[in-house]
Amino acid sequence: MHRPAIKIGVMGSASTSIVAAGRQRVDDLAVRLGKKIAAESCVLITGELDGIPGRVVEVHSQYGGLSVGISPAHSAVEHAAVYDTPPCPSTVVIYSGFGFKGRNVIAVRSADIVILVSGGIGTLNEFTIAYDEGKVIGLLCGTGGAADVAQTLLDTLPVRATGAVVIADPDPEQLVDRCIAQLCAQRQEPAAGRTGPDTALPN
C-alpha cells in the first residue's frame, strides 16, 4: 500500500506587485518555503507564472521536488506571448486555456493544501476558492497582501461553513508542518514519517 504524495499549492504575488523594500525578505521566505516543501516530499502546484510562486518552484526543483504548473494559456506560445513571462521551471506544465480565473480553480482543486504568500486580488480569488472547496489553507503571515488580510476578511464578513481550516504562521517551516498535520488529522493518518508517494505502510 502506498500513500499518495501530498500536493501543496503555493499562491502569491507576481514579481511586479512586491514593493522593493520588502522584496528580499519575502524572497528569503519563499526560498525557505520551497526547500521545506521539497524536504517533505510534497508535490508543488502553482499557477505557472513568475514572482513568489516561481521562486518557490525554482528552489523546490533545486532540492529535487516534483512540481506541476497550471498555466492560464492554451499553449507555451500563448503563455509567452499573452502573459509576457516565461513559464516557471515546473517539472510538468498543464496548459488549461482557461485564463486566470479558470486556472485558479484548477490549481486550487488539484491541491490538498493551499499556502498564500503575500498576494493581490488574484491571490485573494484563489483564497476564496480554497475556502469554498474546504481546503487546508496556510497563510504565511507578515508577508503582506492577501496572506495578511485573509483571516480578517473571514472574521469580518459573513461566511458559511465549508470545512476549510485556516492556519496562519510567520515561519514557513512551521506553517508547512502545521498544514500537513491538519491534513493528516482529517485523513486520520499519521503526519510523521511521510516520505512521499513510495512510502510503504506495514501490513
Side-chain angles (χ1 to χ4, degrees):
M1 179 178 179
H2 300 281
R3 287 174 171 161
I6 291 175
K7 301 178 293 297
I8 297 182
V10 172
M11 320 300 177
S13 298
S15 57
T16 55
S17 64
I18 308 171
V19 295
R23 191 167 294 150
Q24 185 59 56
R25 186 180 66 84
V26 175
D27 184 76
D28 291 343
L29 293 171
V31 168
R32 291 169 58 189
L33 183 61
K35 184 177 179 180
K36 174 64 175 177
I37 293 171
E40 295 300 323
S41 299
C42 296
V43 175
L44 173 62
I45 295 176
T46 71
E48 196 58 17
L49 291 176
D50 64 352
I52 291 171
R55 184 67 168 130
V56 175
V57 170
E58 180 184 354
V59 175
H60 184 261
S61 297
Q62 289 173 357
Y63 285 90
L66 170 66
S67 55
V68 178
I70 312 295
S71 169
H74 65 66
S75 68
V77 172
E78 185 192 57
H79 186 107
V82 175
Y83 297 96
D84 194 31
T85 178
C88 298
S90 300
T91 313
V92 177
V93 180
I94 296 173
Y95 294 100
S96 70
F98 292 143
F100 286 123
K101 292 187 290 295
R103 175 209 65 179
N104 291 351
V105 172
I106 294 171
V108 169
R109 283 183 172 170
S110 299
D112 302 307
I113 295 167
V114 173
I115 293 180
L116 271 59
V117 185
S118 189
I121 197 70
T123 307
L124 189 59
N125 174 244
E126 290 162 323
F127 169 73
T128 58
I129 295 168
Y131 188 85
D132 281 344
E133 295 288 327
K135 299 291 183 178
V136 175
I137 304 169
L139 307 176
L140 190 56
C141 55
T143 56
D148 281 353
V149 304
Q151 186 61 58
T152 301
L153 292 175
L154 289 179
D155 294 339
T156 305
L157 301 174
V159 294
R160 60 185 177 84
T162 63
V165 176
V166 180
I167 299 168
D169 201 302
D171 182 281
E173 293 83 9
Q174 288 185 176
L175 181 60
V176 171
D177 284 340
R178 292 174 63 190
C179 288
I180 290 175
Q182 176 63 40
L183 179 69
C184 290
Q186 292 177 348
R187 292 177 171 179
Q188 297 184 327
E189 63 180 48
R194 294 190 61 97
T195 56
D198 294 324
T199 301
L201 294 177
N203 293 327

